[in-house]
Amino acid sequence: MKYLLGIDFGGGSSKATLINTDGAIVAENSVEYPTYYPVLGACEQSPIDWCNALNENIKALLSKSQIDSADILAVSIDSATHTALLCDKDYKPLRNAIHWTDTRSRKQAKYLKENYGDFIFSKSFHKPDTIWTMPEILWVKENEPEIFAKIGSVFFEKDYIRYTLTGVYCTDYIDAQGSMLFDCNTMSWSKELCDLIGLDVNILPDIKAPTDVIGNVTKEAAELSGLKEGTAVICGTTDTVMEVFASGAVNKGDVTVKLATAGRVCVITDKPYPHQHLVNYSHITGGLWYPGTATKAAASSYRWYRDTFGGNYAELNVGAEKVPIGCEGLIYHPYINGELTPYADPLLCGSFTGIRATHTKGHFTRSVLEGVALSLLHSKKTLKEIGIEVGKKGTVIGGGAKGELWRQITADCLDMELTLTESSDSSLGSAMLAGVATGVFATPEEAVKKCIKPIGVTKPIKENTEKYEKIFEEYVAIHDALAPIYDKREI
C-alpha cells in the first residue's frame, strides 16, 4: 500500500493527515505553536516554530502509522492565506512572519485605499485592508526601514515550510491572489502594484499550479523530519481552498460553512465576484472560484475565551448547553481582531453586552458560540445582497464543527442543514491534492468520491431560527451604536 501526506498550518497549530491510495485516513496528528503579540495590534509567528511543528508532526505520524516513509508517494503543505515572511536574497528570514490578522497596517491600508483604491481593486479584486500583504509590507517600509531595505524574497507561510523540505522558492496562484501584488486578470505578478510600495517585482516567487510537483525532499530535510529523501513535494495552496476541497465542494453551488480560526460562508461559483465585502480566490478545479465572506475571529474567539477565562472545551460546552437561546440578553460580538464581512473595519472591538448579575460562566460561553454564528448569519445575508444565492444545505468545516452544540447553534442561525464529514481538515485536502498531482486520483471529483465520508447531518430547528432572527436585529444595532466609539480610537 502507498500513502499520501497532507500537512496544514493554521492559526495556532499544524495538523498532518496520512491517507492511503484508497482514500482512507490512516493516521492523524496535530502540534500547537504560539502566536506572538509583541505590541498592541501585532500578530506574528516564528518560522522556527513552524519548522519544529512540521518535523514533530511527521515523526509522530510515522510512529502512529508504523509505515515505511519510503511508501509515501508525495507530500503537500497548506497554510493560512498570505501570511508573509520577509527574507533576504539568501532566503533567510529577516523578522517574524506577519499573520493576516495583524492590524498594525491600518494607516497604510487607509492611504492605499484613499489614493489607489480603485486601481488596486481593478487588479487584485480586493480593497486595501490590513489583512493583505501589500499594506503590511508598506508598514514594514515605514516602520522598519532597515528590514525593508534587505528584502530579497517574499515567502508565504506554506511556501517557506515547503522550501525547508526542498530548497525550491515558489508559490501558487491562489496564495498569490491574496497578496494584493498579483493581477487576477492576467494571473501574474503586477509590477504596477509592486511599484505602489516600492517593492521590486523580480524578487517575488515563481508562480506554480497547486498540483505541480515542484521538488523533492532533500537529504537534510529527510534527516530532520523522518521523510524519505527524494519524496515528491507538491506546490500546495491555501488552507481555505483545501478545506473547501476536503468538504467535497468541487461543483458550482456547493456551500461550505467554516468554523475555524476565521469563519466563512462560501459558495462555489463559475466566476469571481469582486466586491468590497467578499474575498475572491480561484478554486483548484479549473474555471471555478470560491468568493466568500469572512468572520475574522470564529474558533479563535472560543480559543481566546478558553485561554483567558479557563476551562477546557468539553467542560465549557456542558455549561453552555444549560443556557437558553439568546443567553438571557447577553450578546457577544467576535470583533477581537476587528472584522471583515460586512464592515472591513480593523478598529472594531469585541464585546459582551447586556450583562446581568444572573449571568453565569455558561451564559458567557454560549454567547461566544452564538456571537460567531450571528456573524456568519451576517455573512450569509451579505452574499444574498450581492446576488450569490446560498442554498439550504451545506457542509460544516473547521475545528469548531466538531462541537455538537456549536453545529446546532450555527444551523439554527443560518437556517441551513449542515453535513459533517469524517474530516474536513485542510490537511486531508492537501493529501487529496497530492493524490491528484501524482495521478492516484484522476480528477478532484474522483478524490472527493474516494475520500469524503459524511458522518452526520444537523438540521435547523424552525423555532430557534425565528428567535435568532430577532436577536440578530439587536446584534446589528449594538454594532451600529459602538462602532463610532471604536472608530475614534487610535488603536
Side-chain angles (χ1 to χ4, degrees):
M1 180 66 72
K2 299 296 182 181
Y3 304 89
L4 302 160
L5 175 58
I7 309 172
D8 164 66
F9 286 79
S13 65
S14 171
K15 183 172 181 180
T17 297
L18 186 73
I19 65 174
N20 61 30
T21 52
D22 290 333
I25 294 175
V26 176
E28 299 173 300
N29 195 73
S30 61
V31 177
E32 289 194 357
Y33 47 81
T35 298
Y36 302 99
Y37 306 95
V39 296
L40 196 61
C43 187
E44 300 183 351
Q45 292 181 347
S46 167
I48 295 174
D49 293 331
W50 296 340
C51 295
N52 288 340
L54 171 77
N55 294 325
E56 184 179 344
N57 239 337
I58 293 171
K59 289 177 180 178
L61 204 63
L62 291 172
S63 177
K64 285 182 178 181
S65 64
Q66 291 296 297
I67 70 163
D68 188 334
S69 62
D71 291 326
I72 297 177
L73 294 175
V75 180
S76 183
I77 295 171
D78 68 82
S79 71
T81 313
H82 54 80
T83 291
L85 178 67
L86 306 179
C87 296
D88 64 19
K89 59 183 177 59
D90 296 319
Y91 310 128
K92 295 179 180 178
L94 295 167
R95 66 181 320 284
N96 277 345
I98 303 174
H99 197 265
W100 67 268
T101 56
D102 190 299
T103 60
R104 285 175 291 181
S105 60
R106 293 187 301 272
K107 176 183 174 183
Q108 290 73 26
K110 182 180 179 182
Y111 164 79
L112 291 168
K113 185 175 182 179
E114 290 178 349
N115 292 278
Y116 307 105
D118 291 342
F119 175 73
I120 293 172
F121 184 80
S122 71
K123 290 187 173 293
S124 71
F125 294 172
H126 299 116
K127 291 283 189 181
D129 190 82
T130 58
I131 67 173
W132 311 113
T133 309
M134 178 193 282
E136 292 170 347
I137 293 180
L138 184 55
W139 179 89
V140 172
K141 181 180 182 180
E142 294 178 355
N143 292 273
E144 299 175 350
E146 70 286 357
I147 298 293
F148 181 84
K150 296 177 182 177
I151 297 175
S153 53
V154 178
F155 285 88
F156 301 111
E157 183 174 352
K158 62 107 174 43
D159 301 322
Y160 182 80
I161 297 164
R162 191 193 57 244
Y163 168 79
T164 66
L165 288 179
T166 65
V168 177
Y169 175 47
C170 64
T171 192
D172 74 294
Y173 58 80
I174 301 177
D175 222 345
Q177 286 169 344
S179 68
M180 201 161 272
L181 304 171
F182 186 82
D183 190 330
C184 291
N185 302 287
T186 63
M187 297 296 281
S188 62
W189 295 119
S190 169
K191 182 180 184 302
E192 293 172 301
L193 290 174
C194 289
D195 285 348
L196 295 180
I197 59 171
L199 186 73
D200 182 1
V201 69
N202 295 308
I203 70 172
L204 297 175
D206 290 340
I207 302 291
K208 304 290 185 180
T211 51
D212 283 349
V213 178
I214 59 88
N216 304 90
V217 174
T218 65
K219 180 180 180 180
E220 181 182 5
E223 292 173 350
L224 291 171
S225 67
L227 291 172
K228 178 73 173 178
E229 181 182 358
T231 302
V233 180
I234 311 307
C235 183
T237 186
T238 70
D239 60 348
T240 305
V241 73
M242 287 297 90
E243 286 176 328
V244 168
F245 186 28
S247 77
V250 291
N251 297 300
K252 180 182 177 182
D254 288 345
V255 181
T256 56
V257 175
K258 179 179 178 180
L259 287 169
T261 299
R264 284 171 66 96
V265 178
C266 178
V267 182
I268 306 301
T269 63
D270 57 3
K271 63 178 181 180
Y273 280 79
H275 191 279
Q276 62 178 339
H277 294 322
L278 291 187
V279 177
N280 280 271
Y281 289 108
S282 297
H283 200 297
I284 59 165
T285 302
L288 295 182
W289 289 70
Y290 65 101
T293 53
T295 292
K296 204 168 186 180
S300 54
S301 274
Y302 204 11
R303 181 173 178 172
W304 162 81
Y305 175 77
R306 179 201 66 179
D307 292 347
T308 302
F309 299 103
N312 60 61
Y313 291 131
E315 294 172 348
L316 292 171
N317 286 340
V318 169
E321 288 172 351
K322 300 174 182 178
V323 175
I325 288 175
C327 305
E328 297 179 310
L330 181 63
I331 293 178
Y332 169 73
H333 285 75
Y335 306 152
I336 55 175
N337 293 312
E339 184 56 303
L340 294 175
T341 306
Y343 302 116
D345 186 352
L347 294 178
L348 287 179
C349 299
S351 64
F352 290 100
T353 56
I355 302 171
R356 294 284 188 179
T358 52
H359 287 140
T360 65
K361 188 172 183 177
H363 285 79
F364 281 88
T365 302
R366 184 179 180 109
S367 73
V368 171
L369 305 182
E370 289 188 342
V372 171
L374 288 166
S375 180
L376 291 173
L377 176 58
H378 215 165
S379 290
K380 179 186 174 183
K381 290 177 179 290
T382 300
L383 285 171
K384 186 175 181 180
E385 290 171 2
I386 291 167
I388 301 176
E389 192 60 38
V390 182
K392 298 288 285 186
K393 296 182 179 181
T395 302
V396 61
I397 64 176
K402 298 174 183 177
E404 183 178 353
L405 174 63
W406 210 355
R407 289 200 311 274
Q408 187 65 60
I409 289 172
T410 304
D412 291 342
C413 269
L414 298 181
D415 191 21
M416 288 183 65
E417 185 177 297
L418 299 177
T419 297
L420 180 69
T421 58
E422 178 185 30
S423 173
S424 61
D425 193 80
S426 301
S427 59
L428 172 60
S430 282
M432 293 162 60
L433 190 72
V436 174
T438 54
V440 172
F441 308 125
T443 63
E445 290 80 7
E446 182 181 326
V448 166
K449 184 177 181 180
K450 287 191 174 182
C451 301
I452 307 304
K453 299 173 178 62
I455 59 174
V457 176
T458 302
K459 296 183 178 181
I461 300 170
K462 183 178 179 181
E463 179 184 353
N464 294 352
T465 298
E466 292 172 351
K467 290 180 180 178
Y468 281 125
E469 276 290 342
K470 294 180 179 178
I471 295 169
F472 178 75
E473 294 178 5
E474 186 175 342
Y475 177 89
V476 173
I478 292 169
H479 160 272
D480 294 347
L482 293 179
I485 299 172
Y486 302 142
D487 287 341
K488 292 179 181 177
R489 296 180 178 179
E490 295 183 1
I491 55 174

